[in-house]
Amino acid sequence: MKKSELKALVKAARKTVTENIETSLVAELTKVTTGVAKETKELAKAIEKGAKNLAKKIAKEIKIDAPAEPVAKTPRVKKPAAVVTAKVKAAKPAKQTATPAKPVKAVKAKSTKPAV
């Protein structure tokens, strides 16, 4: 595997670890705080913010090893051009409102001399 591919795998693994830690922290802290005090928006927001920061710190400390076996990439299968269907929106019916035509004002010419 290339070094860039390994970095991408480690980054993805670290992200999932961070999300898992964050969700478990939020769940446990809300369970504990609901037994002690009434749940409020401010308290929930503070718990989420603190859990996010703590999860980042913990995830930085965790050593994530690169996978021992190379991961096989699944090839993308493109649809043939004939199979691709286009979504066509139905045309909206035109509004039929009768509006009276406004008369056009006649504009007088300022000078009668032809332009040279």
Side-chain angles (χ1 to χ4, degrees):
M1 276 189 148
K2 293 183 180 179
K3 191 173 184 178
S4 61
E5 291 175 355
L6 288 174
K7 283 184 179 182
L9 289 173
V10 170
K11 187 175 181 179
R14 183 167 281 127
K15 186 175 180 180
T16 57
V17 167
T18 304
E19 290 172 355
N20 291 341
I21 292 171
E22 183 181 348
T23 55
S24 64
L25 282 172
V26 169
E28 289 297 319
L29 288 174
T30 52
K31 187 192 315 182
V32 170
T33 55
T34 54
V36 176
K38 183 179 177 184
E39 188 174 343
T40 62
K41 288 182 183 179
E42 293 87 19
L43 183 61
K45 195 173 190 179
I47 288 172
E48 288 177 12
K49 186 176 180 181
K52 187 173 185 178
N53 291 336
L54 185 59
K56 282 183 184 179
K57 289 180 182 179
I58 293 171
K60 282 183 182 179
E61 297 296 323
I62 295 174
K63 175 76 172 155
I64 298 175
D65 295 328
E69 299 176 7
V71 179
K73 291 184 179 179
T74 56
R76 288 189 173 183
V77 179
K78 293 184 180 180
K79 292 182 180 178
V83 177
V84 177
T85 58
K87 293 183 179 179
V88 179
K89 291 185 178 180
K92 293 183 179 178
K95 292 183 180 178
Q96 296 185 9
T97 56
T99 55
K102 294 182 180 179
V104 179
K105 288 185 178 180
V107 180
K108 293 183 180 179
K110 290 186 179 181
S111 65
T112 57
K113 296 181 183 178
V116 182

